[in-house]
Amino acid sequence: MSGTNLPLTLANLLLRPAFGSRRDPDRVFERIVGKAGWTDGDEWFVDGLRPLLREWAADEDLSPVGWQSAQAHVRRHLTNRARIRRLIAANPAIAQEPVEKPVFVVGLPRTATTLTHGVLSLSGEHRCPRLWELLAPGLEPSVRERKKAVTAARRTLDGTYLLSPRFREIHPMTAEGPEEDTFLLPHALVPLSQARLPEYHAQQFTRDFVPDYRHLKECFQVLQYGRPRRRWILKSPMHTGNLDALLRVFPDATLVWTHRDPVTAVASFCSLVECGMAISRRRIDLHALGATWLDLLSRSVRRGLAARDGFPREAVVDVPYSWLGTDPAAGAPKLYGAVGARWTDADAARLPTVATHLRGSRPHRYDLARYGLTKADVEAAFADYNALRAEVDRA
């Protein structure tokens, strides 16, 4: 990443007067809690986000834009949790909404998880959460409310792409398109793509994620309440390290695990993370970025492998990259059959639009060495996974 980013420079200048508030993150946190309309209860939720904001504020290379992003992250999660609680309290029947046989697309990032999610979203029998819904989940909105929510989501995306144009090329998103439910998980890996957070990093492998997935289910119940029930199609590579907690809350879920050479996947994802950090931090240690994400991704996959050993065989569908990355017209029907869904001529007709939407206007180029990593480093970290991937490719 080189050159001067004028919009980012101007944004940091405009936000500099408010940057001093990071010296008292607890005060900022209490102000956010108050504005979110929080009441007593769910201490686990609040107590998990308070130290995160504190550690985020302590990142010595955090930029004014990065501090604004940190507050927005915490504000969105607290506001959404407060809204979900209020809606369930006012409509107790929401808690009885069945979330039956959901499909979760998991695996390493940059392994065609987004393409797989998009293909599964084609069916009219399926229900994928849209970005505008994930940013502010609620009951069925009026036409005016929906327009307002979509406009807010577009502004969020436009702001991100203005500050990091390359991000749009690597990971195109739309306000009304299907998006990953990471936006609803309160303690996912996302903050680690924006700041140096060693304590939060360590907690990813000691935290009990069952409450997070209960919250996730309640969000889906709210989004489903009063609307036609369809099979949920969900996606996030961030689920891979927490499959045991996911199956505790969604015991009849089908896991679609996408596969690709981790050497390629890790290099590609580090490039994406660099785009995010360029917005939030004044300086980026690219080798530290590589080491952080090699650890996070490899440990998540090892945890996922250990968890899946205890799942029924039919609970996991392995999807090699070639299914959709090479020949989607042949792979899509196989994918639908594997999850017990109907592939129709109408779905086939819409298939090209999915691939077109996900393709940036410039090729995504990346280099593992840029992040201080070698092919041998990655292959050693993913040795057990590569053994499974070889079996999948042979099947």
Side-chain angles (χ1 to χ4, degrees), residues 113-383:
T113 55
T114 301
L115 178 57
T116 303
H117 189 224
V119 169
L120 287 169
S121 76
L122 292 171
S123 173
E125 298 175 359
H126 295 164
R127 168 80 154 92
C128 291
R130 309 290 161 168
L131 178 61
W132 67 270
E133 295 179 302
L134 293 167
L135 293 177
L139 300 181
E140 180 73 44
S142 66
V143 173
R144 180 180 179 185
E145 289 169 338
R146 177 186 172 116
K147 183 177 179 180
K148 182 178 179 181
V150 170
T151 298
R154 284 177 181 156
R155 286 175 178 165
T156 297
L157 279 182
D158 289 345
T160 299
Y161 292 150
L162 178 65
L163 299 180
S164 179
R166 191 63 179 134
F167 195 93
R168 183 199 299 268
E169 299 291 334
I170 300 174
H171 186 60
M173 301 165 65
T174 63
E176 296 180 270
E179 196 47 63
E180 61 184 58
D181 45 291
T182 304
F183 285 97
L184 297 176
L185 282 175
H187 303 112
L189 299 176
V190 175
L192 291 161
S193 66
Q194 300 179 47
R196 183 181 178 276
L197 306 167
E199 292 181 16
Y200 189 74
H201 179 157
Q203 290 167 2
Q204 292 300 309
F205 304 102
T206 60
R207 182 185 301 280
D208 176 10
F209 276 89
V210 171
D212 288 60
Y213 283 93
R214 288 178 179 147
H215 166 68
L216 190 66
K217 181 178 180 180
E218 289 176 346
C219 290
F220 299 147
Q221 289 173 315
V222 164
L223 288 171
Q224 181 175 282
Y225 183 67
R227 309 179 208 189
R229 292 177 184 169
R230 292 176 286 164
R231 190 181 189 186
W232 283 97
I233 306 295
L234 308 160
K235 167 250 178 177
S236 175
M238 306 302 177
H239 294 315
T240 309
N242 303 310
L243 298 183
D244 50 353
L246 189 158
L247 265 291
R248 283 268 303 277
V249 178
F250 302 95
D252 59 350
T254 297
L255 306 174
V256 173
W257 190 319
T258 58
H259 297 281
R260 190 184 190 186
D261 180 3
V263 172
T264 302
V266 169
S268 178
F269 189 67
C270 284
S271 174
L272 179 62
V273 171
E274 183 184 350
C275 285
M277 283 202 167
I279 297 175
S280 298
R281 304 188 81 219
R282 292 173 294 174
R283 290 178 294 273
I284 309 173
D285 183 336
L286 294 177
H287 287 198
L289 184 161
T292 292
W293 284 98
L294 179 62
D295 178 68
L296 286 166
L297 295 176
S298 62
R299 289 174 72 178
S300 293
V301 165
R302 288 197 296 273
R303 283 163 59 97
L305 292 174
R308 67 178 272 166
D309 283 344
F311 300 159
R313 188 178 185 87
E314 64 273 12
V316 183
V317 173
D318 290 302
V319 178
Y321 189 79
S322 59
W323 273 24
L324 297 176
T326 303
D327 188 1
K334 288 196 292 185
L335 173 62
Y336 269 59
V339 302
R342 294 187 311 122
W343 178 252
T344 67
D345 290 342
D347 299 331
R350 291 194 296 271
L351 179 61
T353 64
V354 175
T356 301
H357 159 65
L358 295 175
R359 192 181 301 121
S361 59
R362 288 193 295 161
H364 179 202
R365 295 187 173 90
Y366 38 83
D367 180 7
L368 196 62
R370 178 176 176 82
Y371 307 102
L373 302 174
T374 66
K375 181 179 178 181
D377 293 332
V378 179
E379 289 181 341
F382 288 93

Side-chain angles (χ1 to χ4, degrees), residues 34-183:
K35 289 185 178 180
W38 200 264
T39 56
D40 291 339
D42 273 0
E43 284 76 13
W44 69 272
F45 200 99
V46 177
D47 292 344
L49 291 173
R50 187 191 305 274
L52 170 60
L53 188 65
R54 191 180 296 150
E55 188 180 15
W56 213 326
D59 182 348
E60 61 184 15
D61 285 323
L62 193 68
S63 68
V65 168
W67 178 231
Q68 189 76 11
S69 297
Q71 294 173 78
H73 177 90
V74 170
R75 182 182 304 111
R76 175 167 55 80
H77 282 294
L78 286 170
T79 301
N80 285 343
R81 182 58 187 165
R83 183 189 311 108
I84 295 297
R85 292 178 67 207
R86 288 196 301 270
L87 289 171
I88 293 176
N91 306 275
I94 291 175
Q96 305 306 315
E97 280 289 325
V99 180
E100 295 179 331
K101 298 181 179 179
V103 174
F104 285 85
V105 180
V106 303
L108 279 170
R110 315 303 293 173
T111 59
T113 55
T114 301
L115 178 57
T116 303
H117 189 224
V119 169
L120 287 169
S121 76
L122 292 171
S123 173
E125 298 175 359
H126 295 164
R127 168 80 154 92
C128 291
R130 309 290 161 168
L131 178 61
W132 67 270
E133 295 179 302
L134 293 167
L135 293 177
L139 300 181
E140 180 73 44
S142 66
V143 173
R144 180 180 179 185
E145 289 169 338
R146 177 186 172 116
K147 183 177 179 180
K148 182 178 179 181
V150 170
T151 298
R154 284 177 181 156
R155 286 175 178 165
T156 297
L157 279 182
D158 289 345
T160 299
Y161 292 150
L162 178 65
L163 299 180
S164 179
R166 191 63 179 134
F167 195 93
R168 183 199 299 268
E169 299 291 334
I170 300 174
H171 186 60
M173 301 165 65
T174 63
E176 296 180 270
E179 196 47 63
E180 61 184 58
D181 45 291
T182 304
F183 285 97

